[in-house]
Amino acid sequence: MTALYLRARLGRVDFVELGAVIAPSGVLVLATVGHLDYIWPSIGERLSDRAAAVAATGGGHIQEWLFEAVAVPVDADRPLPVLAAVQPSPFFGEAAITMLEVRLGGEGAGRLLGDLPADRCGMVLGDAVALDSWVGLSVEPHTDYDNFRRSARNHPLHVGPVEVAGCPVLGIGWGEGDHSMRHRGERAAGYVYPATVTSDDSSGTVLRWDVDPAKVRPPTA
């Protein structure tokens, strides 16, 4: 039983450090992994171009078919610490992420970026231009996706760093059983979670993704 799991059991909302990312392009993206490397070539666009346009407005949501992301402007030279709030899964007891927080620094007004599903294949957080080069599930070998899964294999929160186009990004996975019970159906079933930019007295501006299923009440059929 890990110390992370023990802290979660005590009922406190602990923030656990997951590492840091950088965004040399000045645009940070949190994206679903499943269709990341398929959708953009198929429509003749680049994720980074769409993300830059969204970031220029202060940040917002991107959706193409089953792919979704949020993008925000950031300081290109600043390492961005990534943390997660964790609580025990009510179904399996293992520690599970209920909030992702990226400390952007500086000052900024609060903003709702949109909402995102917890993609069964995982999420990726990193520089918009670097993610143009992500090699995931649409081609063999699944280089970056496989590297992420290997990196996350022994992490209690299924999180793993991976280098893409020379830039460190962070892959965020889910326990298979916990995802099936708490996030299944994703957007089609109403399980989407708000991503916001907000100001924190101690950390400055932060990007928060509140991925707590207990706060979601999808409509019943």
Side-chain angles (χ1 to χ4, degrees), residues 135 140-151 153:
V135 179
E140 294 282 357
H142 313 316
T143 308
D144 296 315
Y145 179 77
D146 287 345
N147 288 343
F148 151 48
R149 300 306 297 182
R150 280 192 293 269
S151 178
R153 185 174 298 153

Side-chain angles (χ1 to χ4, degrees), residues 21 126 131 151 186 191 197:
V21 295
L131 292 180
S151 178
E186 300 176 11
Y191 283 98
V197 172

Side-chain angles (χ1 to χ4, degrees), residues 90-163:
F91 299 100
F92 299 94
E94 67 176 347
I97 293 174
T98 56
M99 181 184 290
L100 189 72
E101 179 174 292
V102 187
R103 295 185 174 172
L104 307 179
E107 298 180 357
R111 186 182 187 94
L112 174 64
L113 302 174
D115 52 33
L116 293 172
D119 185 0
R120 176 178 293 277
C121 296
M123 310 292 289
V124 64
L125 176 73
D127 179 69
V129 172
L131 292 180
D132 284 337
S133 300
W134 176 270
V135 179
L137 299 173
S138 68
V139 297
E140 294 282 357
H142 313 316
T143 308
D144 296 315
Y145 179 77
D146 287 345
N147 288 343
F148 151 48
R149 300 306 297 182
R150 280 192 293 269
S151 178
R153 185 174 298 153
N154 296 318
H155 193 284
L157 293 174
H158 310 281
V159 172
V162 61
E163 187 172 289

Side-chain angles (χ1 to χ4, degrees), residues 6-215:
L6 286 171
R7 288 201 302 273
R9 283 190 62 192
L10 294 176
R12 299 196 302 267
V13 179
D14 292 331
F15 274 93
V16 178
E17 295 181 1
L18 301 180
V21 295
I22 58 172
S25 71
V27 179
L28 181 71
V29 171
L30 172 63
T32 57
V33 163
H35 296 82
L36 172 56
D37 66 334
Y38 165 77
I39 191 62
W40 298 103
S42 73
I43 64 174
E45 293 186 44
R46 294 187 302 183
L47 169 62
S48 60
D49 291 337
R50 184 76 65 83
V54 167
T57 70
H61 182 258
I62 300 167
Q63 184 169 8
E64 282 292 342
W65 191 45
L66 298 178
F67 171 84
E68 298 190 48
V70 293
V72 292
V74 297
D75 185 336
D77 300 320
R78 183 194 297 270
L80 307 172
V82 185
L83 301 93
V86 299
Q87 292 181 356
S89 164
F91 299 100
F92 299 94
E94 67 176 347
I97 293 174
T98 56
M99 181 184 290
L100 189 72
E101 179 174 292
V102 187
R103 295 185 174 172
L104 307 179
E107 298 180 357
R111 186 182 187 94
L112 174 64
L113 302 174
D115 52 33
L116 293 172
D119 185 0
R120 176 178 293 277
C121 296
M123 310 292 289
V124 64
L125 176 73
D127 179 69
V129 172
L131 292 180
D132 284 337
S133 300
W134 176 270
V135 179
L137 299 173
S138 68
V139 297
E140 294 282 357
H142 313 316
T143 308
D144 296 315
Y145 179 77
D146 287 345
N147 288 343
F148 151 48
R149 300 306 297 182
R150 280 192 293 269
S151 178
R153 185 174 298 153
N154 296 318
H155 193 284
L157 293 174
H158 310 281
V159 172
V162 61
E163 187 172 289
V164 179
C167 188
V169 305
L170 191 67
I172 302 152
W174 317 102
E176 184 175 345
D178 188 65
H179 186 283
S180 293
M181 296 301 294
R182 300 211 293 167
H183 305 298
R184 61 184 173 191
E186 300 176 11
R187 180 168 291 282
Y191 283 98
V192 290
Y193 308 99
T196 59
V197 172
T198 188
S199 293
D200 183 281
D201 291 339
S202 60
S203 306
T205 303
V206 298
L207 166 62
R208 284 187 179 140
W209 186 36
D210 192 0
V211 58
D212 185 352
K215 299 178 182 178

